[in-house]
């Protein structure tokens, strides 16, 4: 297979891929919505297409983070932003954990588990953005040295 070098054809190919992805996502969403109407949310989440939909959404979000960091105009202090993100994520997870633990029918362990999951799920993307910004800083420093 020959590599495409013409930028117009590359852009057209990317637009075609974006359209195909949108159609595929709408189809998956339609199937899941039908499952929801037929048997409720439990039947919808039991469908293996649910897993495909969730994985695709997470991958798209991470790829969008990469583009977002590359398009930042100014260099952001990666260490500072990671610290702020970690503190905010910790505060949110503590609040949700405490509220869960104080909800009737739930205990301290339930609050700790929910809070821990929220903390980990919030910290992973923050760390990923930190690594992207750190890599960008390193490239910027190499360009300045040359």
């Amino acid at each position: 297979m020959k590599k495409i070098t013409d930028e117009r054809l590359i852009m057209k190919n990317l637009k075609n891929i974006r359209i195909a992805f949108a159609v595929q996502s709408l189809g998956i969403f339609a199937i899941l919505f039908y499952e929801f109407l037929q048997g409720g949310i439990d039947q919808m989440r039991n469908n293996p297409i649910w897993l495909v939909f969730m994985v695709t959404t997470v991958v798209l979000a991470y790829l969008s983070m990469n583009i977002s960091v590359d398009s930042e105009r100014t260099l952001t202090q990666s260490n500072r932003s990671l610290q702020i993100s970690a503190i905010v994520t910790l505060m949110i997870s503590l609040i949700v954990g405490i509220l869960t633990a104080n909800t009737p029918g739930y205990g301290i362990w339930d609050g700790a588990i929910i809070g821990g999951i929220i903390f980990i799920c919030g910290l992973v993307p923050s760390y990923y953005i930190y690594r992207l910004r750190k890599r960008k800083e390193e490239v910027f420093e190499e360009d300045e040295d040359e």
Side-chain angles (χ1 to χ4, degrees), residues 45-127:
R45 289 198 323 227
N46 287 337
N47 191 330
I49 293 177
W50 174 257
L51 181 63
V52 173
F53 186 66
M54 288 295 106
V55 169
T56 304
T57 303
V58 169
V59 169
L60 180 62
Y62 275 93
L63 292 173
S64 295
M65 284 182 210
N66 196 357
I67 292 171
S68 175
V69 169
D70 284 344
S71 67
E72 288 177 344
R73 298 246 185 254
T74 59
L75 233 58
T76 306
Q77 292 179 336
S78 55
N79 292 335
R80 181 91 171 127
S81 66
L82 179 63
Q83 291 170 350
I84 291 170
S85 296
I87 291 169
V88 169
T89 303
L90 180 64
M91 299 292 278
I92 291 171
S93 62
L94 283 172
I95 290 169
V96 170
I98 290 168
L99 291 175
T100 302
N102 291 325
T103 302
Y106 294 95
I108 294 174
W109 285 110
D110 297 319
I113 290 171
I114 297 291
I117 290 171
I118 290 173
F119 181 71
I120 291 170
C121 290
L123 198 59
V124 169
S126 299
Y127 182 74

Side-chain angles (χ1 to χ4, degrees), residues 20-38 40-41 44-45 47-54 56-57:
F21 179 76
V23 169
Q24 179 183 7
S25 296
L26 285 173
I28 290 172
F29 186 72
I31 292 169
L32 290 173
F33 186 68
Y34 176 77
E35 289 283 331
F36 174 74
L37 292 177
Q38 293 299 313
I41 195 156
M44 178 184 76
R45 289 198 323 227
N47 191 330
I49 293 177
W50 174 257
L51 181 63
V52 173
F53 186 66
M54 288 295 106
T56 304
T57 303

